Short mmCIF file of all heavy atoms in Angstrom, two decimals:
data_model
loop_
_atom_site.label_atom_id
_atom_site.label_comp_id
_atom_site.label_asym_id
_atom_site.label_seq_id
_atom_site.Cartn_x
_atom_site.Cartn_y
_atom_site.Cartn_z
N PHE Q 1087 7.68 26.33 7.39
CA PHE Q 1087 6.68 27.11 6.77
C PHE Q 1087 5.85 27.87 7.66
O PHE Q 1087 5.63 27.39 8.84
CB PHE Q 1087 5.84 26.28 5.84
CG PHE Q 1087 6.57 25.70 4.55
CD1 PHE Q 1087 7.02 24.45 4.53
CD2 PHE Q 1087 6.83 26.61 3.56
CE1 PHE Q 1087 7.66 23.98 3.37
CE2 PHE Q 1087 7.51 26.11 2.39
CZ PHE Q 1087 7.91 24.84 2.37
N PRO Q 1088 5.17 28.95 7.26
CA PRO Q 1088 4.38 29.73 8.16
C PRO Q 1088 3.15 28.88 8.60
O PRO Q 1088 2.67 28.02 7.99
CB PRO Q 1088 3.77 30.91 7.37
CG PRO Q 1088 4.61 30.88 6.21
CD PRO Q 1088 5.22 29.57 5.93
N SER Q 1089 2.79 29.00 9.87
CA SER Q 1089 1.74 28.29 10.48
C SER Q 1089 0.36 28.94 10.17
O SER Q 1089 0.23 30.20 10.45
CB SER Q 1089 2.00 28.17 12.02
OG SER Q 1089 0.89 27.81 12.72
N HIS Q 1090 -0.68 28.17 9.88
CA HIS Q 1090 -2.01 28.62 9.80
C HIS Q 1090 -2.48 29.34 11.01
O HIS Q 1090 -3.06 30.36 11.08
CB HIS Q 1090 -2.90 27.46 9.33
CG HIS Q 1090 -4.39 27.82 9.27
ND1 HIS Q 1090 -5.24 27.75 10.28
CD2 HIS Q 1090 -5.03 28.23 8.14
CE1 HIS Q 1090 -6.43 28.06 9.87
NE2 HIS Q 1090 -6.33 28.40 8.55
N ASP Q 1091 -2.18 28.61 12.17
CA ASP Q 1091 -2.61 29.19 13.49
C ASP Q 1091 -1.97 30.32 13.91
O ASP Q 1091 -2.47 31.36 14.43
CB ASP Q 1091 -2.34 28.05 14.62
CG ASP Q 1091 -3.26 26.87 14.26
OD1 ASP Q 1091 -4.28 26.94 13.73
OD2 ASP Q 1091 -2.78 25.83 14.75
N LYS Q 1092 -0.63 30.54 13.51
CA LYS Q 1092 0.15 31.72 13.85
C LYS Q 1092 -0.47 32.94 13.18
O LYS Q 1092 -0.44 34.07 13.91
CB LYS Q 1092 1.65 31.56 13.35
CG LYS Q 1092 2.48 32.82 13.64
CD LYS Q 1092 3.82 32.63 13.09
CE LYS Q 1092 4.66 33.90 13.32
NZ LYS Q 1092 6.01 33.76 12.94
N TYR Q 1093 -0.96 32.88 12.01
CA TYR Q 1093 -1.53 34.01 11.33
C TYR Q 1093 -3.19 34.07 11.35
O TYR Q 1093 -3.69 34.84 10.68
CB TYR Q 1093 -1.11 33.96 9.91
CG TYR Q 1093 0.39 34.32 9.79
CD1 TYR Q 1093 1.31 33.18 9.48
CD2 TYR Q 1093 0.90 35.51 9.92
CE1 TYR Q 1093 2.62 33.46 9.50
CE2 TYR Q 1093 2.20 35.77 9.91
CZ TYR Q 1093 3.15 34.79 9.68
OH TYR Q 1093 4.46 34.91 9.59
N GLY Q 1094 -3.61 33.29 12.30
CA GLY Q 1094 -5.05 33.32 12.59
C GLY Q 1094 -5.99 33.02 11.39
O GLY Q 1094 -7.15 33.29 11.42
N GLY Q 1095 -5.47 32.18 10.46
CA GLY Q 1095 -6.24 31.70 9.42
C GLY Q 1095 -6.63 32.91 8.44
O GLY Q 1095 -7.68 32.75 7.76
N ILE Q 1096 -5.83 33.94 8.40
CA ILE Q 1096 -6.20 35.11 7.58
C ILE Q 1096 -5.20 35.37 6.51
O ILE Q 1096 -3.96 35.25 6.72
CB ILE Q 1096 -6.16 36.31 8.49
CG1 ILE Q 1096 -7.15 36.22 9.68
CG2 ILE Q 1096 -6.45 37.69 7.66
CD1 ILE Q 1096 -8.60 36.18 9.31
N CYS Q 1097 -5.54 35.60 5.29
CA CYS Q 1097 -4.73 35.93 4.11
C CYS Q 1097 -4.09 37.27 4.39
O CYS Q 1097 -4.78 38.25 4.67
CB CYS Q 1097 -5.50 35.94 2.85
SG CYS Q 1097 -4.62 36.55 1.43
N TYR Q 1098 -2.77 37.34 4.31
CA TYR Q 1098 -2.04 38.59 4.71
C TYR Q 1098 -2.24 39.70 3.54
O TYR Q 1098 -2.10 40.82 3.75
CB TYR Q 1098 -0.56 38.41 4.89
CG TYR Q 1098 0.28 38.45 3.58
CD1 TYR Q 1098 1.08 39.53 3.43
CD2 TYR Q 1098 0.38 37.44 2.73
CE1 TYR Q 1098 1.99 39.64 2.41
CE2 TYR Q 1098 1.16 37.50 1.62
CZ TYR Q 1098 1.99 38.59 1.48
OH TYR Q 1098 2.79 38.72 0.40
N LEU Q 1099 -2.77 39.27 2.35
CA LEU Q 1099 -2.96 40.23 1.33
C LEU Q 1099 -4.41 40.91 1.29
O LEU Q 1099 -4.59 42.05 1.12
CB LEU Q 1099 -2.71 39.57 -0.02
CG LEU Q 1099 -1.32 39.12 -0.29
CD1 LEU Q 1099 -1.26 38.31 -1.49
CD2 LEU Q 1099 -0.40 40.35 -0.48
N CYS Q 1100 -5.49 39.99 1.47
CA CYS Q 1100 -6.82 40.58 1.51
C CYS Q 1100 -7.46 40.68 2.86
O CYS Q 1100 -8.56 41.29 3.01
CB CYS Q 1100 -7.71 39.70 0.52
SG CYS Q 1100 -8.13 38.03 1.23
N HIS Q 1101 -6.75 40.05 3.86
CA HIS Q 1101 -7.29 40.09 5.29
C HIS Q 1101 -8.59 39.30 5.45
O HIS Q 1101 -9.22 39.51 6.41
CB HIS Q 1101 -7.30 41.47 5.87
CG HIS Q 1101 -6.04 42.29 5.58
ND1 HIS Q 1101 -4.89 41.98 6.26
CD2 HIS Q 1101 -5.75 43.27 4.72
CE1 HIS Q 1101 -3.91 42.82 5.85
NE2 HIS Q 1101 -4.47 43.60 4.90
N ASN Q 1102 -8.83 38.41 4.63
CA ASN Q 1102 -10.03 37.58 4.70
C ASN Q 1102 -9.58 36.28 5.21
O ASN Q 1102 -8.53 35.79 4.89
CB ASN Q 1102 -10.88 37.45 3.45
CG ASN Q 1102 -11.57 38.81 3.12
OD1 ASN Q 1102 -12.04 39.46 3.98
ND2 ASN Q 1102 -11.38 39.22 1.83
N GLU Q 1103 -10.55 35.47 5.79
CA GLU Q 1103 -10.28 34.13 6.30
C GLU Q 1103 -10.16 33.19 5.10
O GLU Q 1103 -10.80 33.37 4.12
CB GLU Q 1103 -11.32 33.64 7.23
CG GLU Q 1103 -11.45 34.39 8.51
CD GLU Q 1103 -12.41 33.80 9.52
OE1 GLU Q 1103 -13.07 32.74 9.25
OE2 GLU Q 1103 -12.69 34.43 10.53
N PHE Q 1104 -9.40 32.01 5.35
CA PHE Q 1104 -9.32 30.98 4.37
C PHE Q 1104 -10.56 30.17 4.53
O PHE Q 1104 -10.96 29.86 5.61
CB PHE Q 1104 -8.13 30.15 4.64
CG PHE Q 1104 -6.85 30.85 4.47
CD1 PHE Q 1104 -6.06 31.25 5.58
CD2 PHE Q 1104 -6.35 31.21 3.16
CE1 PHE Q 1104 -4.89 31.94 5.43
CE2 PHE Q 1104 -5.24 31.91 3.00
CZ PHE Q 1104 -4.42 32.21 4.10
N ASN Q 1105 -11.23 29.82 3.33
CA ASN Q 1105 -12.37 28.91 3.33
C ASN Q 1105 -11.98 27.43 3.65
O ASN Q 1105 -12.72 26.70 4.22
CB ASN Q 1105 -13.11 29.03 2.00
CG ASN Q 1105 -13.67 30.47 1.89
OD1 ASN Q 1105 -14.14 31.05 2.84
ND2 ASN Q 1105 -13.81 30.96 0.72
N SER Q 1106 -10.81 27.14 3.14
CA SER Q 1106 -10.47 25.71 3.33
C SER Q 1106 -8.80 25.73 3.23
O SER Q 1106 -8.21 26.61 2.70
CB SER Q 1106 -10.94 24.79 2.25
OG SER Q 1106 -10.26 24.98 1.10
N ARG Q 1107 -8.29 24.69 3.79
CA ARG Q 1107 -6.72 24.64 3.78
C ARG Q 1107 -6.21 24.48 2.32
O ARG Q 1107 -5.10 24.76 1.94
CB ARG Q 1107 -6.27 23.55 4.59
CG ARG Q 1107 -6.44 23.91 6.08
CD ARG Q 1107 -5.74 22.90 6.97
NE ARG Q 1107 -5.92 23.26 8.44
CZ ARG Q 1107 -5.05 23.79 9.16
NH1 ARG Q 1107 -3.80 23.86 8.69
NH2 ARG Q 1107 -5.31 23.99 10.47
N ASN Q 1108 -7.16 24.05 1.43
CA ASN Q 1108 -6.84 23.86 -0.03
C ASN Q 1108 -6.58 25.15 -0.68
O ASN Q 1108 -5.97 25.26 -1.74
CB ASN Q 1108 -7.79 23.04 -0.80
CG ASN Q 1108 -7.86 21.58 -0.25
OD1 ASN Q 1108 -6.90 21.06 0.17
ND2 ASN Q 1108 -9.10 20.96 -0.45
N ASP Q 1109 -7.13 26.29 -0.13
CA ASP Q 1109 -7.03 27.63 -0.73
C ASP Q 1109 -5.79 28.42 -0.25
O ASP Q 1109 -5.57 29.40 -0.59
CB ASP Q 1109 -8.25 28.40 -0.48
CG ASP Q 1109 -8.37 29.64 -1.27
OD1 ASP Q 1109 -7.85 29.63 -2.32
OD2 ASP Q 1109 -8.84 30.69 -0.70
N ILE Q 1110 -4.95 27.79 0.62
CA ILE Q 1110 -3.87 28.39 1.27
C ILE Q 1110 -2.59 28.13 0.42
O ILE Q 1110 -2.20 27.02 0.10
CB ILE Q 1110 -3.60 27.90 2.64
CG1 ILE Q 1110 -4.80 28.23 3.61
CG2 ILE Q 1110 -2.34 28.56 3.29
CD1 ILE Q 1110 -4.69 27.52 4.98
N THR Q 1111 -1.89 29.25 0.05
CA THR Q 1111 -0.58 29.19 -0.57
C THR Q 1111 0.40 29.87 0.31
O THR Q 1111 0.04 30.73 1.08
CB THR Q 1111 -0.64 29.75 -2.03
OG1 THR Q 1111 -0.96 31.07 -1.99
CG2 THR Q 1111 -1.59 28.94 -2.89
N ILE Q 1112 1.72 29.63 -0.07
CA ILE Q 1112 2.78 30.43 0.70
C ILE Q 1112 3.35 31.43 -0.29
O ILE Q 1112 3.64 31.11 -1.40
CB ILE Q 1112 3.91 29.38 1.16
CG1 ILE Q 1112 3.24 28.45 2.22
CG2 ILE Q 1112 5.07 30.13 1.72
CD1 ILE Q 1112 4.12 27.38 2.64
N ASP Q 1113 3.32 32.68 0.14
CA ASP Q 1113 3.82 33.72 -0.72
C ASP Q 1113 5.08 34.42 -0.08
O ASP Q 1113 5.35 34.26 1.17
CB ASP Q 1113 2.81 34.83 -0.77
CG ASP Q 1113 3.18 35.89 -1.74
OD1 ASP Q 1113 3.66 35.53 -2.95
OD2 ASP Q 1113 3.05 37.09 -1.44
N HIS Q 1114 5.93 34.97 -0.91
CA HIS Q 1114 7.19 35.52 -0.45
C HIS Q 1114 6.97 37.13 -0.39
O HIS Q 1114 6.42 37.67 -1.38
CB HIS Q 1114 8.32 35.34 -1.42
CG HIS Q 1114 8.77 33.94 -1.50
ND1 HIS Q 1114 8.08 33.01 -2.20
CD2 HIS Q 1114 9.74 33.22 -0.87
CE1 HIS Q 1114 8.72 31.80 -2.00
NE2 HIS Q 1114 9.78 32.08 -1.28
N LEU Q 1115 7.13 37.80 0.79
CA LEU Q 1115 7.04 39.18 0.88
C LEU Q 1115 7.94 39.83 -0.18
O LEU Q 1115 7.49 40.76 -0.89
CB LEU Q 1115 7.41 39.65 2.29
CG LEU Q 1115 6.55 39.30 3.43
CD1 LEU Q 1115 7.20 39.65 4.72
CD2 LEU Q 1115 5.20 40.08 3.18
N ILE Q 1116 9.21 39.42 -0.20
CA ILE Q 1116 10.06 39.89 -1.27
C ILE Q 1116 10.29 38.73 -2.22
O ILE Q 1116 10.78 37.61 -1.80
CB ILE Q 1116 11.45 40.28 -0.66
CG1 ILE Q 1116 11.28 41.40 0.28
CG2 ILE Q 1116 12.41 40.65 -1.76
CD1 ILE Q 1116 12.56 41.69 1.19
N PRO Q 1117 9.77 38.82 -3.40
CA PRO Q 1117 9.81 37.62 -4.34
C PRO Q 1117 11.27 37.15 -4.47
O PRO Q 1117 12.19 37.86 -4.48
CB PRO Q 1117 9.19 38.20 -5.61
CG PRO Q 1117 8.43 39.39 -5.21
CD PRO Q 1117 9.15 39.99 -3.99
N LYS Q 1118 11.29 35.87 -4.74
CA LYS Q 1118 12.66 35.29 -4.96
C LYS Q 1118 13.28 35.87 -6.22
O LYS Q 1118 14.47 36.11 -6.30
CB LYS Q 1118 12.47 33.69 -5.18
CG LYS Q 1118 12.12 33.14 -3.78
CD LYS Q 1118 12.08 31.66 -3.94
CE LYS Q 1118 13.42 30.95 -3.82
NZ LYS Q 1118 13.47 29.54 -3.73
N SER Q 1119 12.44 36.27 -7.14
CA SER Q 1119 12.97 36.92 -8.42
C SER Q 1119 13.59 38.31 -8.08
O SER Q 1119 14.37 38.87 -8.93
CB SER Q 1119 11.88 37.02 -9.37
OG SER Q 1119 10.89 38.05 -8.98
N LYS Q 1120 13.21 38.77 -6.96
CA LYS Q 1120 13.82 40.16 -6.55
C LYS Q 1120 14.81 39.98 -5.38
O LYS Q 1120 14.93 41.02 -4.62
CB LYS Q 1120 12.73 41.13 -6.20
CG LYS Q 1120 11.90 41.45 -7.53
CD LYS Q 1120 10.87 42.50 -7.26
CE LYS Q 1120 10.08 42.69 -8.57
NZ LYS Q 1120 9.06 43.66 -8.46
N GLY Q 1121 15.38 38.85 -5.15
CA GLY Q 1121 16.32 38.68 -4.16
C GLY Q 1121 15.78 38.05 -2.81
O GLY Q 1121 16.56 37.95 -1.92
N GLY Q 1122 14.51 37.85 -2.72
CA GLY Q 1122 13.96 37.23 -1.48
C GLY Q 1122 14.48 35.86 -1.36
O GLY Q 1122 14.87 35.20 -2.17
N ASP Q 1123 14.18 35.36 -0.10
CA ASP Q 1123 14.58 34.01 0.26
C ASP Q 1123 13.49 33.21 0.88
O ASP Q 1123 12.36 33.69 0.91
CB ASP Q 1123 15.90 34.02 1.23
CG ASP Q 1123 15.54 34.67 2.50
OD1 ASP Q 1123 14.33 34.81 2.98
OD2 ASP Q 1123 16.49 35.15 3.17
N ASP Q 1124 13.76 32.05 1.19
CA ASP Q 1124 12.74 31.19 1.81
C ASP Q 1124 12.75 31.12 3.40
O ASP Q 1124 12.27 30.28 3.99
CB ASP Q 1124 12.93 29.68 1.36
CG ASP Q 1124 12.56 29.55 -0.10
OD1 ASP Q 1124 11.71 30.28 -0.51
OD2 ASP Q 1124 13.19 28.65 -0.75
N SER Q 1125 13.31 32.20 3.96
CA SER Q 1125 13.27 32.27 5.49
C SER Q 1125 11.81 32.61 5.94
O SER Q 1125 11.00 33.13 5.26
CB SER Q 1125 14.21 33.40 5.94
OG SER Q 1125 13.71 34.67 5.54
N LEU Q 1126 11.60 32.17 7.15
CA LEU Q 1126 10.21 32.36 7.71
C LEU Q 1126 9.85 33.88 7.73
O LEU Q 1126 8.66 34.26 7.62
CB LEU Q 1126 10.18 31.79 9.12
CG LEU Q 1126 10.05 30.26 9.14
CD1 LEU Q 1126 9.97 29.78 10.54
CD2 LEU Q 1126 8.86 29.70 8.39
N ASN Q 1127 10.83 34.71 7.91
CA ASN Q 1127 10.58 36.16 7.93
C ASN Q 1127 10.03 36.66 6.61
O ASN Q 1127 9.47 37.75 6.56
CB ASN Q 1127 11.77 36.90 8.35
CG ASN Q 1127 12.13 36.77 9.71
OD1 ASN Q 1127 11.33 36.45 10.55
ND2 ASN Q 1127 13.43 36.94 10.07
N ASN Q 1128 10.28 35.97 5.51
CA ASN Q 1128 9.90 36.36 4.14
C ASN Q 1128 8.69 35.61 3.68
O ASN Q 1128 8.25 35.87 2.56
CB ASN Q 1128 11.10 36.21 3.21
CG ASN Q 1128 10.86 36.91 1.95
OD1 ASN Q 1128 10.39 38.03 1.89
ND2 ASN Q 1128 11.16 36.27 0.80
N LEU Q 1129 8.15 34.66 4.46
CA LEU Q 1129 6.99 33.86 3.98
C LEU Q 1129 5.69 34.24 4.65
O LEU Q 1129 5.74 34.52 5.88
CB LEU Q 1129 7.26 32.41 4.22
CG LEU Q 1129 8.52 31.87 3.48
CD1 LEU Q 1129 8.80 30.39 3.88
CD2 LEU Q 1129 8.47 32.04 1.97
N ARG Q 1130 4.60 34.24 3.98
CA ARG Q 1130 3.29 34.57 4.55
C ARG Q 1130 2.26 33.66 3.83
O ARG Q 1130 2.48 33.18 2.79
CB ARG Q 1130 2.95 36.00 4.30
CG ARG Q 1130 3.75 37.00 4.96
CD ARG Q 1130 3.54 36.88 6.49
NE ARG Q 1130 4.31 37.95 7.25
CZ ARG Q 1130 5.60 37.85 7.57
NH1 ARG Q 1130 6.30 36.78 7.28
NH2 ARG Q 1130 6.17 38.83 8.22
N LEU Q 1131 1.20 33.45 4.49
CA LEU Q 1131 0.05 32.72 3.95
C LEU Q 1131 -0.94 33.59 3.18
O LEU Q 1131 -1.22 34.70 3.64
CB LEU Q 1131 -0.78 31.93 5.07
CG LEU Q 1131 0.07 31.06 5.93
CD1 LEU Q 1131 -0.78 30.41 7.08
CD2 LEU Q 1131 0.67 29.89 5.07
N ALA Q 1132 -1.29 33.19 2.01
CA ALA Q 1132 -2.20 33.91 1.14
C ALA Q 1132 -3.16 32.94 0.36
O ALA Q 1132 -2.84 31.80 0.14
CB ALA Q 1132 -1.34 34.77 0.14
N HIS Q 1133 -4.34 33.52 0.08
CA HIS Q 1133 -5.18 32.78 -0.85
C HIS Q 1133 -4.54 32.57 -2.13
O HIS Q 1133 -3.77 33.40 -2.63
CB HIS Q 1133 -6.45 33.61 -1.18
CG HIS Q 1133 -7.42 33.75 0.09
ND1 HIS Q 1133 -7.66 34.93 0.66
CD2 HIS Q 1133 -8.24 32.79 0.67
CE1 HIS Q 1133 -8.56 34.69 1.60
NE2 HIS Q 1133 -8.90 33.51 1.65
N SER Q 1134 -4.89 31.56 -2.81
CA SER Q 1134 -4.16 31.22 -4.14
C SER Q 1134 -4.50 32.33 -5.12
O SER Q 1134 -3.60 32.71 -5.81
CB SER Q 1134 -4.66 29.92 -4.63
OG SER Q 1134 -6.03 29.80 -4.78
N GLU Q 1135 -5.72 32.89 -5.14
CA GLU Q 1135 -6.06 33.96 -6.03
C GLU Q 1135 -5.28 35.28 -5.69
O GLU Q 1135 -4.90 35.93 -6.63
CB GLU Q 1135 -7.56 34.18 -6.12
CG GLU Q 1135 -8.29 33.03 -6.72
CD GLU Q 1135 -7.97 32.78 -8.22
OE1 GLU Q 1135 -7.79 33.76 -8.97
OE2 GLU Q 1135 -7.79 31.60 -8.58
N CYS Q 1136 -5.19 35.52 -4.43
CA CYS Q 1136 -4.40 36.71 -4.08
C CYS Q 1136 -2.93 36.60 -4.38
O CYS Q 1136 -2.37 37.53 -4.92
CB CYS Q 1136 -4.56 36.89 -2.55
SG CYS Q 1136 -6.26 37.37 -1.90
N ASN Q 1137 -2.45 35.36 -4.22
CA ASN Q 1137 -1.09 35.14 -4.53
C ASN Q 1137 -0.83 35.22 -6.09
O ASN Q 1137 0.13 35.90 -6.46
CB ASN Q 1137 -0.57 33.77 -4.02
CG ASN Q 1137 0.83 33.49 -3.97
OD1 ASN Q 1137 1.61 34.30 -4.49
ND2 ASN Q 1137 1.23 32.45 -3.35
N LYS Q 1138 -1.78 34.71 -6.91
CA LYS Q 1138 -1.61 34.83 -8.26
C LYS Q 1138 -1.72 36.33 -8.78
O LYS Q 1138 -1.01 36.78 -9.61
CB LYS Q 1138 -2.77 34.08 -8.98
CG LYS Q 1138 -2.59 32.54 -8.97
CD LYS Q 1138 -3.74 31.89 -9.60
CE LYS Q 1138 -3.82 30.46 -9.29
NZ LYS Q 1138 -5.04 29.83 -9.79
N ALA Q 1139 -2.55 37.11 -8.11
CA ALA Q 1139 -2.72 38.55 -8.40
C ALA Q 1139 -1.46 39.41 -8.09
O ALA Q 1139 -1.08 40.22 -8.75
CB ALA Q 1139 -3.89 39.09 -7.72
N LYS Q 1140 -0.77 38.92 -7.00
CA LYS Q 1140 0.42 39.73 -6.58
C LYS Q 1140 1.60 39.37 -7.50
O LYS Q 1140 2.53 40.20 -7.67
CB LYS Q 1140 0.85 39.30 -5.10
CG LYS Q 1140 2.05 40.02 -4.56
CD LYS Q 1140 2.28 39.63 -3.14
CE LYS Q 1140 3.62 40.09 -2.70
NZ LYS Q 1140 4.72 39.12 -3.04
N LYS Q 1141 1.64 38.21 -8.18
CA LYS Q 1141 2.70 37.82 -9.02
C LYS Q 1141 4.03 37.94 -8.40
O LYS Q 1141 4.18 37.45 -7.28
CB LYS Q 1141 2.58 38.56 -10.30
CG LYS Q 1141 1.25 38.49 -11.07
CD LYS Q 1141 1.15 39.34 -12.29
CE LYS Q 1141 -0.14 39.27 -12.81
NZ LYS Q 1141 -0.37 40.16 -14.03
N ASP Q 1142 4.95 38.65 -9.00
CA ASP Q 1142 6.32 38.78 -8.48
C ASP Q 1142 6.56 40.18 -7.92
O ASP Q 1142 7.65 40.64 -7.83
CB ASP Q 1142 7.36 38.35 -9.54
CG ASP Q 1142 7.50 39.36 -10.65
OD1 ASP Q 1142 6.50 40.07 -10.93
OD2 ASP Q 1142 8.47 39.39 -11.31
N LEU Q 1143 5.44 40.84 -7.57
CA LEU Q 1143 5.60 42.19 -6.92
C LEU Q 1143 5.99 42.15 -5.43
O LEU Q 1143 5.78 41.03 -4.73
CB LEU Q 1143 4.22 42.92 -6.96
CG LEU Q 1143 3.63 43.08 -8.37
CD1 LEU Q 1143 2.25 43.67 -8.27
CD2 LEU Q 1143 4.51 43.97 -9.24
N THR Q 1144 6.65 43.06 -4.95
CA THR Q 1144 6.83 43.19 -3.54
C THR Q 1144 5.50 43.60 -2.90
O THR Q 1144 4.53 44.06 -3.58
CB THR Q 1144 7.85 44.26 -3.11
OG1 THR Q 1144 7.45 45.55 -3.52
CG2 THR Q 1144 9.21 43.97 -3.80
N ILE Q 1145 5.41 43.54 -1.61
CA ILE Q 1145 4.13 43.87 -0.90
C ILE Q 1145 3.90 45.41 -1.16
O ILE Q 1145 2.71 45.74 -1.30
CB ILE Q 1145 4.16 43.42 0.59
CG1 ILE Q 1145 2.80 43.64 1.26
CG2 ILE Q 1145 5.19 44.16 1.31
CD1 ILE Q 1145 1.72 42.74 0.64
N GLU Q 1146 4.87 46.13 -1.15
CA GLU Q 1146 4.74 47.63 -1.37
C GLU Q 1146 4.19 47.91 -2.85
O GLU Q 1146 3.24 48.62 -3.05
CB GLU Q 1146 6.04 48.36 -1.08
CG GLU Q 1146 6.54 48.36 0.26
CD GLU Q 1146 7.24 47.14 0.65
OE1 GLU Q 1146 7.60 46.27 -0.25
OE2 GLU Q 1146 7.57 46.94 1.81
N GLU Q 1147 4.71 47.22 -3.82
CA GLU Q 1147 4.29 47.30 -5.17
C GLU Q 1147 2.92 46.90 -5.28
O GLU Q 1147 2.08 47.49 -6.00
CB GLU Q 1147 5.14 46.49 -6.13
CG GLU Q 1147 6.60 47.08 -6.27
CD GLU Q 1147 7.63 46.17 -6.95
OE1 GLU Q 1147 7.34 44.92 -6.90
OE2 GLU Q 1147 8.55 46.69 -7.46
N TYR Q 1148 2.48 45.78 -4.67
CA TYR Q 1148 1.21 45.23 -4.73
C TYR Q 1148 0.11 46.21 -4.07
O TYR Q 1148 -0.95 46.41 -4.54
CB TYR Q 1148 1.14 43.86 -4.02
CG TYR Q 1148 -0.27 43.24 -4.05
CD1 TYR Q 1148 -0.75 42.65 -5.17
CD2 TYR Q 1148 -1.06 43.21 -2.88
CE1 TYR Q 1148 -1.97 42.04 -5.25
CE2 TYR Q 1148 -2.27 42.53 -2.88
CZ TYR Q 1148 -2.70 41.96 -4.03
OH TYR Q 1148 -3.97 41.40 -4.06
N ALA Q 1149 0.60 46.78 -2.90
CA ALA Q 1149 -0.35 47.75 -2.33
C ALA Q 1149 -0.65 48.99 -3.19
O ALA Q 1149 -1.80 49.41 -3.34
CB ALA Q 1149 0.25 48.19 -0.93
N ILE Q 1150 0.27 49.44 -3.93
CA ILE Q 1150 0.15 50.57 -4.85
C ILE Q 1150 -0.73 50.11 -5.92
O ILE Q 1150 -1.72 50.86 -6.38
CB ILE Q 1150 1.54 51.06 -5.39
CG1 ILE Q 1150 2.29 51.72 -4.29
CG2 ILE Q 1150 1.30 51.96 -6.60
CD1 ILE Q 1150 3.78 52.04 -4.66
N LEU Q 1151 -0.61 48.93 -6.47
CA LEU Q 1151 -1.44 48.41 -7.52
C LEU Q 1151 -2.93 48.34 -7.10
O LEU Q 1151 -3.81 48.68 -7.81
CB LEU Q 1151 -0.92 46.98 -8.01
CG LEU Q 1151 -1.75 46.27 -9.08
CD1 LEU Q 1151 -1.56 47.03 -10.37
CD2 LEU Q 1151 -1.35 44.87 -9.19
N GLN Q 1152 -3.14 47.85 -5.86
CA GLN Q 1152 -4.39 47.75 -5.24
C GLN Q 1152 -5.11 49.14 -5.05
O GLN Q 1152 -6.36 49.20 -5.11
CB GLN Q 1152 -4.46 46.93 -3.93
CG GLN Q 1152 -4.01 45.50 -4.16
CD GLN Q 1152 -4.95 44.77 -5.07
OE1 GLN Q 1152 -6.12 44.71 -4.87
NE2 GLN Q 1152 -4.44 44.14 -6.09
N GLU Q 1153 -4.30 50.09 -4.79
CA GLU Q 1153 -4.88 51.50 -4.61
C GLU Q 1153 -5.25 52.13 -5.91
O GLU Q 1153 -5.88 53.18 -5.94
CB GLU Q 1153 -3.84 52.32 -3.89
CG GLU Q 1153 -3.62 51.94 -2.41
CD GLU Q 1153 -2.53 52.68 -1.76
OE1 GLU Q 1153 -1.94 53.57 -2.34
OE2 GLU Q 1153 -2.23 52.33 -0.64
N GLY Q 1154 -4.77 51.51 -6.99
CA GLY Q 1154 -5.26 52.03 -8.31
C GLY Q 1154 -4.29 53.12 -8.81
O GLY Q 1154 -4.68 53.80 -9.85
N PHE Q 1155 -3.07 53.20 -8.39
CA PHE Q 1155 -2.08 54.23 -8.87
C PHE Q 1155 -1.38 53.75 -10.01
O PHE Q 1155 -0.99 52.62 -10.25
CB PHE Q 1155 -1.10 54.70 -7.75
CG PHE Q 1155 -1.79 55.43 -6.68
CD1 PHE Q 1155 -2.00 54.84 -5.46
CD2 PHE Q 1155 -2.14 56.73 -6.84
CE1 PHE Q 1155 -2.58 55.56 -4.42
CE2 PHE Q 1155 -2.77 57.46 -5.90
CZ PHE Q 1155 -2.92 56.92 -4.63
#
């Protein structure tokens, strides 16, 4: 699994620090529902709320959603 230290304790979706380790979830850049796998290259650390908001979107789809398009 991705290391907290490797990613500097930062959520890859909102770029804010984690308040506690209990708030850290593992997210798939390419969701498993869209053919993603569990390889380290496809896994990132995210806040639980950010991960819930991303749902099964790819990172590109999520970025568009966040921009309001």
Side-chain angles (χ1 to χ4, degrees):
F1087 290 103
S1089 162
H1090 178 270
D1091 296 332
K1092 178 179 178 181
Y1093 293 101
I1096 303 292
C1097 173
Y1098 91 106
L1099 294 169
C1100 72
H1101 308 287
N1102 291 314
E1103 292 184 7
F1104 296 107
N1105 294 324
S1106 74
R1107 290 190 182 249
N1108 292 333
D1109 192 34
I1110 299 171
T1111 60
I1112 296 173
D1113 187 48
H1114 294 82
L1115 290 172
I1116 301 171
K1118 292 181 83 169
S1119 64
K1120 295 185 178 178
D1123 60 23
D1124 289 329
S1125 69
L1126 287 178
N1127 291 333
N1128 194 42
L1129 301 177
R1130 296 292 184 273
L1131 299 179
H1133 287 112
S1134 57
E1135 290 301 314
C1136 295
N1137 197 346
K1138 286 178 193 173
K1140 182 178 168 274
K1141 302 178 185 175
D1142 69 339
L1143 301 173
T1144 65
I1145 190 63
E1146 293 84 8
E1147 292 167 334
Y1148 181 74
I1150 291 169
L1151 179 69
Q1152 294 301 304
E1153 292 173 6
F1155 290 106

